[in-house]
Amino acid sequence: MGKKICGTNYPLSICFIVVNEFCERFSYYGMKALLTLYFVTYLHWDKDLSTAIYHAFGGLCYFTPILGALIADSWLGKFKTIIYLSIVYVIGHVVKSVGAIPTVGGRDVHIALSMLGLILIAFGTGGIKPCVAAFGGDQFEDEHVRERQKFFSIFYMSINAGSLLSTIITPILRGDVQCFGGDCYALAFGVPAALMVVALVVFIAGSGMYKKNPLQGNILLEVCNCVGFALRNRWYRSKHEPRRSHWLDWAEEKYSKRLIQEIKMVLRVLVLYIPLPMFWALFDQQGSRWTLQATRMNMAFGDAFSIKPDQMQMLNALLILVFVPIFDLIIYPLVGLCRIKITPLRKMATGMIFAALAFGAATLVEISVVKTVVDPAPAKNSLLQVVNLAGGDASVKVLGTDLFPEPIPYFHDSPTYETFPLEGPAKYAYITVTSLGADTECNQRFEEEEAYSLILFPGPAGTQCKLVEDYIMKNEDGNPLVRYSDVTCCLKSGECYRLDLGLLDFGAIYTIILKEESGKIVAHKTEDVKANNVHIAWQIPQYALITAGEVMFSITGLEFSYSQAPANMKSVLQAGWLLTVAFGNVIVLIVAEGAGLEQWKEFLLFASLLLGVCIIFSIMTCFYTYVNPEQLEKFYLENSGKEGDNNENMKKKNNDVPLKKTGKGTRL
């Protein structure tokens, strides 16, 4: 009998497990929140590749739990599996952090270390995922059911707390702390690494108090062996022997009828899992596509504070804590009062609809966001704007075009670029400038798909022109860009001035013009690319919708799965559920790299696909009959000890297990 907490039935060992889970989830979500911007701004990958790698990592994190469960149940046990894979986890974090130090090797070294670190983290977090919660449940005696249920509530609260705090803190460490001349990714990844070390140390510290159950074999492996045996038997013997009522019945020669019937129940649920990855394909884009969308939005909340684009993910963790009691205590009872029968499968289908609506909202936001983006010039064209510093209005004529029909005022900030046709990959163009009553000609070379500013300024022989290549791509982290970063200028006398540039708004690209006027340096600012004019608060509706969908889909789905399977098969369904998340990430990976759509069209595609999948899922559920595993247990207890049944009686037993229907037949 282990130590208890203050005379209660709660084992003292669960304190170490809860703290371990909080630190581990802080470590995982804090690191994952930074990944997309890390790929884009540090490794300089494009947005599609960054999204693909992000979801490849997410998918691997949900494939590896099956490996962790096999190791724990068949070889090491839960305790040793958690320790050994946590060590792998820590090593992955350390490697990932070292890869984020600019002075360690070149770009190829950074990529190699980052990918190695992520692979190790995926095996670590995925491997311990099926073990920690189950190991916590093992600490309770069988009669302490209520205490075990409360433990799981506290356990999952620690998960959300770790997720919420980490997605607030690590983006601040990234953006507000400067190291090596830029965003401090090394520190932002290093803190989650330190939390994972703490998680491991805390877990080991409680080793003397843990209740460690002996190995009992892996039920998932047994299920796979039974299914494989049935398929082989059917393939080789079905042509020579009478047909059996179900293909799994071909395993009766080796496996018990009870196991076969339980597998049938599980397979009926797993068939319903087939459409589910599409929900996760949308849900997991909060950390990829939605974060990239946030970088092109205005993140300032007045003069009080501004939010980081990768901090918006914390809304999901925050809203889940708010929505769960609201749905359980208010929404579901109100719907019940309207005489609408609420079944788990109906909740899941409704959750899909909410997720699709979230991407509909994201589509509308994206359409507004892209209005401030300057599209690159198409092939055989370039973009051109004029900055007039000549001292008066200037007329600009580009030979063979009518790009600037009106005179350009002095220090006028052009609202847009003009498209200049080149008729080839490059072109020399004669430009005539008329200013202050005199004409000046200049010959400039333009290249396709580039943007230029033609700067007019006074010279000894009249107005002169200079062609400057512009950078028109918005900053990937949402911050403004300026043409010159150092705006401290010195006059010939040696006197220095620090210039006030005014507001540098999110997403804008500025050209700072420095000009001596009346013995002083004066800065004139032009906005080459418009600032982000859609506020980041417009992302709140899509986060609220996706979180509402998660409450109805994810939480209900787990409850439904557990209610429809015998006790010893729950781990099989958990493995199946985690695989739906993994395959959802694979879907995003394929679309991001293969579709090549504009972002708003991609959002609309995902919303449409999920609505289509929701219809298919709803049709599938019409053919599902709810079962009661307790009745199955009672059935086998009543019929235990009866041997020697003929083949017909065995078929009858397998087909006549009591089923529990809801309402009239089986409906969504």
Side-chain angles (χ1 to χ4, degrees), residues 168 176 436 585:
I168 294 173
D176 291 349
L436 302 176
N585 280 275

Side-chain angles (χ1 to χ4, degrees), residues 106-314:
R107 182 169 178 266
D108 291 340
V109 174
H110 297 155
I111 292 174
L113 290 175
S114 297
M115 294 304 99
L116 176 60
L118 288 178
I119 291 171
L120 293 175
I121 290 171
F123 276 94
T125 187
I128 68 175
K129 191 183 296 290
C131 301
V132 179
F135 187 68
D138 289 346
Q139 306 308 304
F140 293 86
E141 304 297 331
D142 292 340
E143 63 269 19
H144 299 151
V145 177
R146 187 174 62 86
E147 287 82 359
R148 183 187 287 117
Q149 290 174 343
K150 287 188 176 181
F151 159 74
F152 282 120
S153 297
I154 298 171
F155 183 83
Y156 289 113
M157 187 180 297
S158 71
I159 293 176
N160 283 301
S163 170
L164 177 61
L165 289 176
S166 64
T167 49
I168 294 173
I169 294 172
T170 54
I172 293 175
L173 297 176
R174 171 193 64 79
D176 291 349
V177 179
Q178 297 293 300
C179 62
F180 304 104
D183 285 351
C184 200
Y185 282 104
L187 175 64
F189 286 132
V191 170
L195 263 292
M196 191 58 222
V197 172
V198 173
L200 177 59
V201 171
V202 168
F203 186 78
I204 294 175
S207 58
M209 306 178 190
Y210 296 138
K211 175 184 175 184
K212 304 165 189 173
N213 293 335
L215 296 180
Q216 297 177 340
N218 188 274
I219 187 64
L220 178 60
L221 196 59
E222 188 175 2
V223 168
C224 292
N225 290 335
C226 179
V227 170
F229 182 82
L231 291 173
R232 288 194 302 271
N233 237 11
R234 184 187 183 192
W235 175 261
Y236 291 115
R237 298 171 55 183
S238 59
K239 297 179 181 179
H240 312 291
E241 297 184 16
R243 183 180 179 183
R244 303 192 184 185
S245 59
H246 192 281
W247 62 270
L248 269 173
D249 294 336
W250 288 96
E252 288 179 346
E253 286 83 353
K254 185 175 181 181
Y255 296 91
S256 68
K257 289 175 292 200
R258 174 170 182 165
L259 176 64
I260 292 171
Q261 186 60 44
E262 289 174 342
I263 295 175
K264 289 178 183 178
M265 296 171 63
V266 168
L267 289 179
R268 292 173 65 250
V269 178
L270 291 179
V271 168
L272 289 178
Y273 280 5
I274 294 174
L276 304 190
M278 185 54 66
F279 174 88
W280 298 113
L282 276 69
F283 180 82
D284 279 347
Q285 290 188 57
Q286 295 174 70
S288 56
R289 293 302 202 193
W290 285 14
T291 296
L292 292 173
Q293 183 186 69
T295 64
R296 290 173 286 127
M297 303 179 77
N298 192 317
M299 293 169 270
F301 285 83
D303 296 330
F305 69 96
S306 61
I307 195 171
K308 303 289 188 294
D310 37 359
Q311 280 182 318
M312 286 298 289
Q313 300 169 63
M314 63 90 180

Side-chain angles (χ1 to χ4, degrees), residues 372-377 383 385 417 449-453 469-475 481 483 507-509 528-530:
T372 64
V373 176
V374 177
D375 293 323
L383 300 179
Q385 69 171 355
Y417 282 87
E449 301 180 5
E450 297 291 346
Y452 298 95
S453 288
E469 187 174 330
D470 290 350
Y471 184 80
I472 59 172
M473 302 300 294
K474 286 179 176 281
N475 198 349
L481 295 174
R483 178 88 62 162
I509 300 178
D528 300 334
V529 176
K530 299 300 179 186

Side-chain angles (χ1 to χ4, degrees), residues 347-587:
K347 290 181 185 178
M348 293 176 68
T350 306
M352 290 183 179
I353 295 172
F354 270 78
L357 290 174
F359 267 66
T363 301
L364 296 176
V365 171
E366 185 67 21
I367 291 172
S368 298
V369 163
V370 296
K371 291 179 181 178
T372 64
V373 176
V374 177
D375 293 323
K380 299 182 180 181
N381 289 268
S382 63
L383 300 179
L384 179 63
Q385 69 171 355
V386 177
V387 180
N388 180 13
L389 310 179
D393 293 354
S395 297
V396 178
K397 302 294 182 184
V398 182
L399 186 63
T401 68
D402 190 23
L403 293 180
F404 307 101
E406 301 295 331
I408 299 171
Y410 176 65
F411 266 127
H412 174 65
D413 189 359
S414 300
T416 59
Y417 282 87
E418 302 295 335
T419 302
F420 177 36
L422 304 181
E423 302 175 354
K427 179 181 181 179
Y428 280 94
Y430 282 97
I431 302 172
T432 302
V433 179
T434 302
S435 178
L436 302 176
D439 292 344
T440 302
E441 289 189 355
C442 55
N443 187 18
Q444 301 291 343
R445 187 177 189 273
F446 296 85
E447 295 185 0
E448 64 177 343
E449 301 180 5
E450 297 291 346
Y452 298 95
S453 288
L454 181 67
I455 301 178
L456 309 179
F457 59 95
T463 302
Q464 298 184 18
C465 55
K466 179 180 180 181
L467 193 66
V468 179
E469 187 174 330
D470 290 350
Y471 184 80
I472 59 172
M473 302 300 294
K474 286 179 176 281
N475 198 349
E476 300 294 357
D477 63 6
N479 289 317
L481 295 174
V482 294
R483 178 88 62 162
Y484 303 108
S485 58
D486 186 2
V487 294
T488 301
C489 302
C490 298
L491 296 177
K492 294 179 181 178
S493 63
E495 186 177 0
C496 295
Y497 295 85
R498 185 161 295 275
L499 305 173
D500 182 9
L501 300 181
L503 174 66
L504 298 178
D505 212 349
F506 287 102
I509 300 178
Y510 300 98
T511 296
I512 308 300
I513 308 297
L514 304 177
K515 194 167 185 291
E516 185 175 349
E517 296 179 358
S518 303
K520 294 184 178 181
I521 294 294
V522 178
H524 296 271
K525 181 174 63 177
T526 63
E527 192 176 49
D528 300 334
V529 176
K530 299 300 179 186
N532 301 339
N533 59 9
V534 179
H535 198 272
I536 201 168
W538 284 105
Q539 276 198 329
I540 294 176
Q542 64 201 56
Y543 273 97
L545 287 168
I546 200 79
T547 306
E550 180 189 8
V551 171
M552 288 183 281
F553 179 89
S554 180
I555 296 175
T556 305
L558 285 170
E559 292 174 353
F560 164 76
S561 301
Y562 275 44
S563 71
Q564 296 299 290
N568 64 329
M569 289 287 172
K570 297 188 189 301
S571 61
V572 178
L573 284 181
Q574 184 186 34
W577 184 265
L578 294 175
L579 284 178
T580 66
V581 183
F583 283 112
N585 280 275
V586 172
I587 292 173

Side-chain angles (χ1 to χ4, degrees), residues 639-651:
N639 290 273
S640 61
K642 297 182 179 179
E643 303 293 340
D645 295 319
N646 58 30
N647 191 47
E648 196 64 33
N649 286 335
M650 284 191 288
K651 292 178 186 175

